[in-house]
Amino acid sequence: MKTLLFFISAVALSGAAAAETPQPKLIVAISVDQFSADLFNEYRARFTGGLKTLQQGAVFANGFQSHAATETCPGHATILTGVHPTRSGIIANYWVDYNAPRPEKQVYCAEDETAKGSLPDKPVVSTVHLKAKTLGERMKRFNPASRVIAVAGKDRAAVMMGGELTDEMWWWDNGKFSTLTDRKTPASVQKINDELAETVASGLPAPPLPNLCRPFVAPVSVTAKKSVGTPLGPLPPKTPKGMRVRPELDQATLAIATRLTDDYQLGHRSTPDLLAVSLSATDYVGHNFGTAGPEMCAQMMALDQALDAFLKHLDASGVSYVVMLTADHGGHDVAERNRARAIPDDLRVTAAVGLKALNEAMDYGKNPVFRVDDPKSDTIAGDLYLNPSIKGKKRRKLIADARRWLTGKNDMIAAVFTRDQLLAMRAPTLPPEAWSLAERAAASVHAARSGDLIVLLKPRMSPIGAPGEGYVATHGSPWDYDRRVPILFWRPGMIGFEQPNSIETVDIMPTLAALIGLPVPTVEIDGKCRDLDAGPGSTCP
Ligand code: ZN
C-alpha cells in the first residue's frame, strides 16, 4: 500500500529523519458558510479552540472561490468536486428554467423540479442538478466499502458536498434535521431531533457575549425598524427560524455528524471514509447582522469552541483522520456600518437599475419580458433572462438594447456580459486574484441554466436595495471580499506551514484524493493537487 510522507512533529523535534505516516482512514471536510478570508484573518489570533488547532496544519489564507456567482450552492459544489460552477452546472442558488414542468419557472439548485409537489421554496431535495462527481462518489465507485456522510445546516450544502451516493445526508429543516425522502431516520438522529424539538418549544436564553466581543457593541441603524451591533437576545419559544443565528445550530449539526461517525464507525476499517460537514450559523449571522459586529464576534468564538469539542471527540475515537476546513464564499459588512467607518462609497442599489425600470425602458412595462431568478425581486445582479417567446432578430436586438441600457448605469453596474460571450471564453491562465471580471463570470456560466445577460454590480454595492426585517447584508459578487476564503488542512502530528500564494477551492478535492491514493483523472477537474508536506516529500502524485 502506498504511504504518504507526513512529517511527525515529535520526530522532527527529536532531530530524527522524517517518518512515514499511513494514509488517513477518515477525511473530514468542513465548510463554514460565509467564513471569508477577512473573517479568518480578523479572528485567527483570537481562536483558542478548534480553529487554533487547524492553524497548526497547512494554512492557505488566500483560498479562492474563483467564480463570480459567490453563492452557497455554487460554492459548496466546488469544494469536493474539484470543478468550477460552469462544469458542475451549479451556477447559482436559483436559476430560471422555462421548460420546468410546472407554472413556477424558478428552479432551486438542490431540488428535483420534476418531483411531485417540489417548489423552489419547498423543494423535494435532490442531487440531480449536480453534474460533477464528488469526492464521496469517487471514493465509493473506487471502493464501495467506503462510507460517505454529509451533515449541514442547509440542504443545498449537504447535497453539493455529499453528492449522489451519500450514505447519510442530513440538514437543518426549520426545527429538526431532515433527510432525502426515501431514507430512514437512525435512532441517534431521532434522539437529537427530539432534544431539538424540546429546545425549540421552550426557547433559549441569550447566548453569552465573550469579553473580547464587548468592544464591538455599537448599534447601527439600518432601517427605521432594524439596527445591528448589539448582542443577541433570548430565543423566544416556538421560533425555529431564530435558531439559525444561534450557536446551537452549529453545535447540533456537529452533534449529528459525531453520532453518525460513531454509528457508522467511520475511519475504523481498511477503506477510507468521508464526513462532509457544513456549518451555517456564520452565514445567517452575516446576513442578519453583518460581519463586523458583536453578533459575528460571538459566533466566531462559539464556532471555535464547537469545533474544538468535535475534534476532541475524533481524537478520543483513535481514528487516523485529516481535516480540511474552508468556506463556500466570503461576505461583506452592512453598508450603513461601513459608511460610518471610513468606507463612504459602500452603497445599496436603487430601483433606477431595477428590473421594472429595465422592462419599462425596453417598452415592455406592462408585459415585462426580462426577469431575474427570483420572481419577487427587482434587483438585477447576476443572471437576467429574456422570455423565450421572443425570438430571432427581435430577441437579438432586445438583448443588445438591454445590455446597452445596463452598461450605461455605470454608477452602480460594473460589467454586463452575454451568456454566449462567456461560453466562448478560454480557461484563465493566471492565478484567481488576477482573473478579469469576464473570466470570473465565465467560471459560473452554463449554456442551459444561465441568463441571456450576466450583470455584475460595482464593488461595495449591496444588491439588497431596501432591507426589511430580515437580511441586511449579503454576498454573491465577483469581488474578492466574496471570493476569498481560508483553506486549512490539518492532521494530528503534521508539521504546519503557511502558504501566502493563492490556491482555489477546486484544488481541495484532488489534494484530499491524493492523501488516500484515490486516482482522479486531471481532465475531469479544474483543480490541482496541492502539496501538504512541509519538507522535501510531496503528498501529491
Ligand atoms: Zn453560503
Side-chain angles (χ1 to χ4, degrees):
M1 191 208 288
K2 190 185 171 221
T3 53
L4 294 159
L5 281 172
F6 255 108
F7 292 82
I8 300 295
S9 53
V11 175
L13 284 171
S14 73
E20 287 194 357
T21 32
Q23 293 177 354
K25 289 290 172 243
L26 174 61
I27 291 175
V28 181
I30 302 171
S31 164
V32 175
D33 202 311
Q34 206 186 127
F35 188 40
S36 63
D38 296 334
L39 274 181
F40 174 68
N41 289 335
E42 180 173 1
Y43 287 98
R44 60 182 293 186
R46 305 178 202 195
F47 293 132
T48 59
L51 285 163
K52 182 177 182 183
T53 301
L54 296 183
Q55 289 180 66
Q56 311 308 307
V59 174
F60 297 90
N62 277 307
F64 274 80
Q65 290 278 5
S66 310
H67 52 274
T70 50
E71 295 185 337
T72 296
C73 221
H76 277 96
T78 68
I79 297 170
L80 293 180
T81 63
V83 303
H84 293 299
T86 191
R87 280 171 93 171
S88 73
I90 307 300
I91 56 148
N93 286 346
Y94 299 89
W95 56 82
V96 172
D97 181 356
Y98 285 98
N99 296 317
R102 62 182 182 199
E104 178 53 68
K105 301 305 178 193
Q106 185 193 32
V107 170
Y108 178 52
C109 61
E111 73 164 323
D112 178 0
E113 67 275 15
T114 67
K116 191 166 177 265
S118 189
L119 284 169
D121 56 353
K122 214 172 178 298
V124 172
V125 175
S126 165
T127 62
V128 291
H129 290 311
L130 181 61
K131 293 175 179 290
K133 283 197 209 82
T134 58
L135 177 62
E137 281 176 60
R138 289 180 187 277
M139 287 167 67
K140 286 186 76 81
R141 288 187 200 284
F142 190 69
N143 189 337
S146 284
R147 296 283 171 266
V148 177
I149 290 177
V151 185
K154 297 180 184 175
D155 52 14
R156 56 186 177 274
V159 164
M160 297 305 154
M161 288 184 86
E164 195 189 339
L165 302 177
T166 311
D167 294 289
E168 291 279 354
M169 188 183 280
W170 290 91
W171 60 87
W172 175 253
D173 188 10
N174 204 31
K176 64 177 190 310
F177 279 83
S178 288
T179 189
L180 301 166
T181 45
D182 58 342
R183 304 293 180 89
K184 290 199 170 67
T185 304
S188 54
V189 174
Q190 188 58 52
K191 186 164 179 287
I192 293 173
N193 269 345
D194 291 345
E195 289 162 11
L196 285 166
E198 280 177 36
T199 302
V200 168
S202 58
L204 286 162
L209 184 70
N211 278 335
L212 72 86
C213 299
R214 291 185 194 282
F216 291 81
V217 177
V220 175
S221 288
V222 178
T223 71
K225 284 185 179 169
K226 176 154 180 171
S227 67
V228 298
T230 50
L232 249 56
L235 178 73
K238 296 177 196 156
T239 52
K241 203 176 165 194
M243 277 284 280
R244 303 197 303 187
V245 298
R246 300 276 311 200
E248 288 83 359
L249 174 60
D250 290 345
Q251 290 163 13
T253 307
L254 288 167
I256 300 256
T258 302
R259 291 284 83 79
L260 290 173
T261 298
D262 293 351
D263 285 359
Y264 279 77
Q265 287 288 291
L266 295 188
H268 282 284
R269 292 159 310 135
S270 58
T271 49
D273 298 319
L274 171 68
L275 173 66
V277 180
S278 174
L279 302 172
S280 307
T282 301
D283 184 64
Y284 289 122
V285 169
H287 282 304
N288 282 282
F289 310 112
T291 58
E295 304 94 333
M296 184 59 86
C297 178
Q299 167 56 22
M300 289 289 101
M301 295 301 113
L303 170 72
D304 183 40
Q305 292 310 310
L307 285 169
D308 199 50
F310 174 69
L311 295 181
K312 288 200 167 101
H313 183 88
L314 285 177
D315 284 336
S317 73
V319 164
S320 169
Y321 67 96
V322 59
V323 180
M324 185 287 307
L325 184 141
T326 188
D328 56 340
H329 51 75
H332 191 63
D333 197 24
V334 282
E336 291 71 20
R337 184 160 43 212
N338 272 335
R339 286 205 296 276
R341 287 185 182 171
I343 313 288
D345 56 339
D346 207 288
L347 301 169
R348 295 182 182 278
V349 284
T350 71
V353 295
L355 195 56
K356 192 161 175 287
L358 170 70
N359 277 310
E360 277 169 6
M362 300 295 115
D363 279 334
Y364 282 90
K366 280 199 182 123
N367 298 297
V369 287
F370 282 102
R371 65 163 288 173
V372 292
D373 62 60
D374 181 356
K376 296 182 287 293
S377 174
D378 187 59
T379 300
I380 302 174
D383 293 284
L384 181 67
Y385 298 84
L386 177 59
N387 193 306
S389 66
I390 295 179
K391 298 190 192 298
K393 211 185 271 180
K394 193 171 180 190
R395 181 174 193 87
R396 288 193 292 278
K397 182 174 184 315
L398 259 177
I399 291 172
D401 287 351
R403 187 181 189 188
R404 202 171 304 114
W405 186 85
L406 289 160
T407 306
K409 309 285 183 186
N410 56 11
D411 54 334
M412 285 181 265
I413 289 173
V416 185
F417 303 111
T418 67
R419 176 188 57 225
D420 298 341
Q421 163 193 10
L422 297 177
L423 286 168
M425 286 181 63
R426 286 164 180 249
T429 52
L430 294 173
E433 68 274 20
W435 288 15
S436 68
L437 277 184
E439 286 171 329
R440 298 173 195 200
S444 45
V445 74
H446 187 268
R449 295 178 180 172
S450 291
D452 298 278
L453 293 170
I454 287 88
V455 182
L456 305 181
L457 297 178
K458 289 184 78 168
R460 301 172 179 176
M461 181 65 61
S462 173
I464 303 175
E469 297 289 284
Y471 286 7
V472 294
T474 195
H475 47 82
S477 84
W479 307 107
D480 284 357
Y481 48 76
D482 285 343
R483 293 171 80 223
R484 278 180 63 238
V485 294
I487 301 176
L488 314 175
F489 295 89
W490 175 75
R491 203 174 167 189
M494 171 183 179
I495 292 186
F497 64 90
E498 178 141 350
Q499 172 53 263
N501 288 296
S502 65
I503 65 166
E504 299 183 73
T505 54
V506 292
D507 299 333
I508 291 168
M509 195 279 277
T511 301
L512 292 173
L515 294 183
I516 53 170
L518 177 73
V520 179
T522 53
V523 294
E524 291 181 12
I525 58 169
D526 297 320
K528 295 180 200 60
C529 178
R530 300 293 177 175
D531 183 13
L532 303 184
D533 194 320
S538 176
T539 59
C540 292

